[in-house]
Amino acid sequence: MPSPEEALQELLEMSAGIRQAVLVRGDDNVLASTFASKESEAVMVEGGRTMLQDARREAKEMGRDKLTQLFIEAKSGCVFIVAGERDTWLAASTGTDPTVGLVLYDVNTALRTALEGEAEGDYTK
């Protein structure tokens, strides 16, 4: 199974619309990232964590089941956040007008691939 870094590289190759991605455990334990600078990575991690926490709280208040994915659209692009097992989540940014369903599928696949690799003991962090 691919390592977290390989899973993110495959994601970028698979989904041409994705610009950057980060795989996080908990609030801020970065398992893998495609960001060139730690500052940009930190902004995505902090923003992703905040959006995910806020969305989870809102979903709970509305009586919804556990939140698993989030899509945010802005003028300059979109952010996709997918939550998985073991408090692990993946945030990815795209340009404007992505094919939402396809990007969500690709992000979910990358997260699942990374978690399967971890479960099989292919990497530790």
Side-chain angles (χ1 to χ4, degrees):
M1 295 304 296
S3 69
E5 293 83 7
E6 292 168 334
L8 290 188
Q9 282 307 116
E10 286 179 10
L11 174 63
L12 294 181
E13 292 168 9
M14 207 174 16
S15 192
I18 294 179
R19 293 179 177 169
Q20 300 290 340
V22 63
L23 179 63
V24 181
R25 165 103 7 96
D27 286 339
D28 61 2
N29 181 18
V30 175
L31 301 177
S33 174
T34 64
F35 285 88
S37 77
K38 288 294 181 186
E39 293 80 17
S40 296
E41 176 185 289
V43 168
M44 177 64 112
V45 170
E46 182 178 341
R49 176 186 61 238
T50 300
M51 288 183 278
L52 188 56
Q53 288 171 343
D54 289 349
R56 283 176 170 162
R57 185 174 45 255
E58 290 296 320
K60 187 175 182 178
E61 288 176 9
M62 293 186 312
R64 302 284 176 126
D65 290 335
K66 183 177 173 182
L67 181 88
T68 57
Q69 57 190 26
L70 182 60
F71 164 66
I72 300 101
E73 185 174 17
K75 282 185 178 181
S76 61
C78 301
V79 175
F80 295 81
I81 303 172
V82 175
E85 298 173 11
R86 297 185 292 280
D87 197 26
T88 304
W89 52 278
L90 194 157
S93 64
T94 69
T96 57
D97 299 322
T99 305
V100 175
L102 183 57
V103 174
L104 280 170
Y105 176 82
D106 291 344
V107 172
N108 271 293
T109 299
L111 177 59
R112 188 172 46 255
T113 298
L115 288 171
E116 286 171 357
E118 180 182 45
E120 292 182 8
D122 289 345
Y123 68 89
T124 59
K125 188 123 182 180

